[in-house]
Amino acid sequence: MLLRLSTEILIILIPILIFSLCFHEFAHGYIAHKLGDNTAQRNGRLTLNPIYHLDPIGSLMILFVGFGWAKPVPVNPSNFKNPRNDMIKVAFAGPASNLILALIGGCFMRLNTIFSFNSNETILISLYFFIFINISLAIFNLIPIAPLDGSQIFGNYISKYNPDMAWKLQIYGPKILMAIIIIGIITPFSPIAFIIMPIIKVFMFLFSGINF
């Protein structure tokens, strides 16, 4: 849970987390708008203003539990020319936006390693968290369990080869996801971290050269 962290780390971490979540949701709405659906625009979601993206309960969960969420961006697939493929594009926009942010942060980190133009510890720690949080958000959201973006991205592929599994992941996904998260909170073992941390480490090294 974030409240267990020091005040100094929280001051760095919370603004990065808020910005990354808002950028993720903005990306969903922006791509939907480009593909012909202006539902997000009508609801004031084509903005980076946290007021329009943050969910009160989800934000409190982040502080007290270490896991939370932002408000899902409303999308109307009937406004798309190709609803199935366009929904995949909209879903992928969120994780892709976080990976782009992480890549930008990683480039700055690598340049600093080469040229040493900044030795300020606070800035370097902020940059590290910026890269780590955005990679983590991207990889976590690619898990093919509803309501995560991965369920939309990989759902059609799974249903093609295993319709029963795809249906169960869609129906029971939220309960499965919450159970996995609770296990990680009340026990020393986190199934989600076990699955995604090796992938996060690979991207951290590829983007920034950081090996941990």
Side-chain angles (χ1 to χ4, degrees):
M1 84 179 47
L2 295 188
L3 290 181
R4 290 179 179 175
L5 299 175
S6 66
T7 304
E8 292 80 4
I9 295 297
L10 283 175
I11 291 173
I12 296 172
L13 199 61
I14 290 178
I16 293 173
L17 188 55
I18 290 174
F19 172 76
S20 301
L21 284 170
C22 292
F23 197 83
H24 179 107
E25 298 302 331
F26 166 80
H28 285 309
Y30 178 78
I31 296 301
H33 177 68
K34 286 295 184 180
L35 292 172
D37 176 38
N38 63 354
T39 306
Q41 183 183 38
R42 291 201 314 269
N43 284 270
R45 301 297 298 276
L46 292 188
T47 176
L48 292 176
N49 189 334
I51 294 174
Y52 296 98
H53 291 292
L54 294 183
D55 179 88
I57 296 176
S59 300
L60 289 173
M61 288 284 285
I62 292 173
L63 290 175
F64 290 100
V65 181
F67 166 82
W69 56 85
K71 297 176 184 176
V73 170
V75 177
N76 186 354
S78 63
N79 291 323
F80 297 140
K81 293 180 180 179
N82 191 330
R84 178 176 292 185
N85 289 337
D86 288 348
M87 275 303 298
I88 292 175
K89 294 174 185 177
V90 171
F92 184 66
S97 70
N98 291 126
L99 288 177
I100 290 170
L101 290 176
L103 179 59
I104 294 171
C107 288
F108 278 107
M109 184 71 80
R110 283 187 177 275
L111 287 173
N112 188 66
T113 301
I114 296 170
F115 299 108
S116 299
F117 55 77
N118 196 316
S119 59
N120 186 291
E121 186 178 358
T122 301
I123 292 176
L124 293 177
I125 291 173
S126 300
L127 197 54
Y128 169 83
F129 277 126
F130 183 82
I131 300 165
F132 181 81
I133 286 173
N134 276 286
I135 292 175
S136 300
L137 282 174
I139 303 304
F140 173 71
N141 274 283
L142 286 173
I143 297 174
I145 299 177
L148 301 178
D149 297 324
S151 64
Q152 289 282 352
I153 299 168
F154 304 111
N156 290 329
Y157 180 82
I158 296 173
S159 63
K160 182 178 179 180
Y161 295 97
N162 195 327
D164 185 57
M165 177 184 287
W167 180 81
K168 288 180 179 178
L169 286 174
Q170 195 67 33
I171 298 299
Y172 302 110
K175 294 180 180 178
I176 294 172
L177 185 62
M178 187 56 67
I180 293 173
I181 292 168
I182 290 173
I183 290 172
I185 294 171
I186 65 176
T187 71
F189 175 71
S190 172
I192 291 179
F194 178 78
I195 295 169
I196 71 174
M197 190 56 71
I199 305 173
I200 292 172
K201 289 181 177 180
V202 170
F203 276 95
M204 283 290 292
F205 180 74
L206 289 175
F207 286 1
S208 66
I210 296 174
N211 195 358
F212 67 96

